[in-house]
Amino acid sequence: MKLINLLIIYLLAVSCSPDSLENSTNTNQKTANLVLGFEQYLNLESETIFDVPYDSHSEQVMDIYLPEDRSFSYTKVLVLVHGGSWQYGDKTSFTNLAEELKERHPNHAIVNLNYRLADTSHAAFPNQFIDIKNALEYLEREADNLKIKPEFGLIGGSSGGHLALYYDYKFDTNDAVKFVCSMSGPTDFADSFYQQNPNFNQLIELLIDKDAYGVNSNGSREDFIPGSDLSISYYLDHLSPLYHVNSQSSPTLLFHGDQDEIVPIANAYMLNKTLTYASVKNKLNVYTGDHSGWILPFYRTLLHSEISDFILKFL
């Protein structure tokens, strides 16, 4: 409909212009070319492409939901990042969410992302952040072919919420991400809540590629020396989205249960406070329930309402 309106306006302008009267042949040819150009978008049907590889590993694939009449001038992208404690899970757990977003936001493309799960061959950090980066860069490279505009909203659940938040606050230096939404995602691993779990430090060490992290001779935590011996407290800080918030962080939407026994509600409150202090637009929605309570019908309706509001304002 946008393209049709633009075409009508253009044709009216051309038909009434002095140049068109003086040189009708050239103008008619230009108009015909424009019509053909518009038709290639007007004739595009919606399309879903499953398991599109964005890198060489078998888990580095994504499902892409493309709307009809799409264009690289305005079809922006919602990217879903599933959860599963960084070691489990699959994009299929977000298929229903992808379909709901497709129905509610027919002018946006939807991408449902898989990434390398942590195991003995691949640590979660920083590999999973890098996977998101590679996926978004793939979409940027293929924007003309897919007919999408490479501006993104990241939506993640649980560990996927952590990945989405961290990617935006730490990796998105070009501001390709316009907003980020986390459902029950960890934000502050230094919270004493985690220390009460006797297996937590072992889990963190299991998830980290220590060869990718380190400090330089001046003690900077931004320049890495592979193989450096760092304390667990360094990793807890460094891998927490909370400690990477700055004034350039994207608008942030949070959902968290007040009875969450996996990620403490204090994580959400602290991130909300820190974002507000940094003058970053954000909203925290606290629901009555546990870690996955946001999937219940009532909260699902609230979730979509809030996401729609962020899409309208920021994407």
Side-chain angles (χ1 to χ4, degrees):
M1 185 57 70
K2 292 179 181 177
L3 288 168
I4 293 173
N5 290 339
L6 287 173
L7 181 57
I8 291 172
I9 292 171
Y10 176 84
L11 293 176
L12 288 174
V14 168
S15 64
C16 298
S17 68
D19 289 341
S20 67
L21 296 175
E22 294 176 2
N23 196 346
S24 59
T25 301
N26 290 339
T27 300
N28 289 339
Q29 184 60 53
K30 290 178 181 179
T31 302
N33 291 340
L34 182 65
V35 170
L36 290 174
F38 271 78
E39 283 181 346
Q40 69 174 313
Y41 300 113
L42 293 175
N43 292 332
L44 286 175
E45 297 182 353
S46 62
E47 181 180 5
T48 300
I49 314 172
F50 293 104
D51 295 323
V52 177
Y54 61 86
D55 213 326
S56 58
H57 193 276
S58 61
E59 293 175 336
Q60 292 171 314
V61 295
M62 63 178 101
D63 297 339
I64 305 176
Y65 300 75
L66 298 170
E68 64 180 0
D69 299 342
R70 58 193 174 273
S71 167
F72 50 74
S73 65
Y74 58 77
T75 304
K76 301 176 185 179
V77 188
L78 300 170
V79 179
L80 310 185
V81 188
H82 71 80
S85 300
W86 304 278
Q87 304 170 84
Y88 315 105
D90 185 84
K91 57 184 168 61
T92 54
S93 65
F94 268 3
T95 297
N96 287 342
L97 179 59
E99 292 288 351
E100 288 174 315
L101 289 168
K102 175 185 173 183
E103 185 72 20
R104 292 170 181 266
H105 303 283
N107 294 322
H108 285 75
I110 315 291
V111 168
N112 195 6
L113 183 67
N114 262 359
Y115 47 86
R116 288 171 293 175
L117 300 175
D119 57 24
T120 55
S121 301
H122 302 282
F125 314 129
N127 290 324
Q128 291 174 359
F129 309 132
I130 294 170
D131 283 355
I132 295 176
K133 179 176 183 290
N134 289 342
L136 298 191
E137 288 179 348
Y138 171 88
L139 293 169
E140 290 175 350
R141 290 195 304 272
E142 294 296 317
D144 286 350
N145 292 329
L146 295 172
K147 301 296 185 293
I148 59 173
K149 185 172 185 177
E151 294 182 5
F152 308 100
L154 293 185
I155 302 173
S158 191
S159 58
H162 163 260
L163 295 175
L165 292 169
Y166 190 95
Y167 180 83
D168 178 72
Y169 299 169
K170 182 69 176 176
F171 280 80
D172 184 37
T173 56
N174 295 326
D175 193 32
V177 177
K178 301 305 179 182
F179 80 85
V180 59
C181 173
S182 169
M183 294 91 78
S184 308
T187 68
D188 179 13
F189 291 129
D191 191 305
S192 60
F193 173 94
Y194 296 108
Q195 308 309 313
Q196 298 171 15
N197 183 337
N199 299 317
F200 178 72
N201 285 356
Q202 290 85 342
L203 173 64
I204 288 295
E205 290 188 353
L206 175 66
L207 295 175
I208 295 169
D209 177 4
K210 291 190 174 181
D211 288 339
Y213 294 101
V215 294
N216 66 14
S217 58
N218 296 321
S220 168
R221 293 186 174 186
E222 297 301 319
D223 301 314
F224 301 135
I225 296 178
S228 298
D229 185 16
L230 297 173
S231 67
I232 191 67
S233 62
Y234 165 70
Y235 292 117
L236 297 183
D237 288 352
H238 184 77
L239 295 170
S240 298
L242 178 70
Y243 302 110
H244 298 286
V245 170
N246 59 75
S247 61
Q248 303 306 308
S249 298
S250 294
T252 300
L253 179 62
L254 302 172
F255 288 85
H256 214 103
D258 61 1
Q259 300 169 36
D260 195 325
E261 296 181 351
I262 298 175
V263 178
I265 186 65
N267 267 208
Y269 285 132
M270 280 301 299
L271 182 58
N272 169 241
K273 181 178 179 179
T274 303
L275 288 165
T276 301
Y277 183 79
S279 299
V280 176
K281 295 183 184 299
N282 72 98
K283 186 172 184 180
L284 168 60
N285 296 272
V286 177
Y287 57 84
T288 302
D290 60 15
H291 186 65
S292 58
W294 62 270
I295 68 173
L296 299 175
F298 173 78
Y299 297 122
R300 194 83 161 194
T301 300
L302 174 64
L303 174 73
H304 281 290
S305 174
E306 296 292 345
I307 289 176
S308 294
D309 185 57
F310 262 61
I311 292 172
L312 179 64
K313 290 179 179 177
F314 307 114
L315 196 66

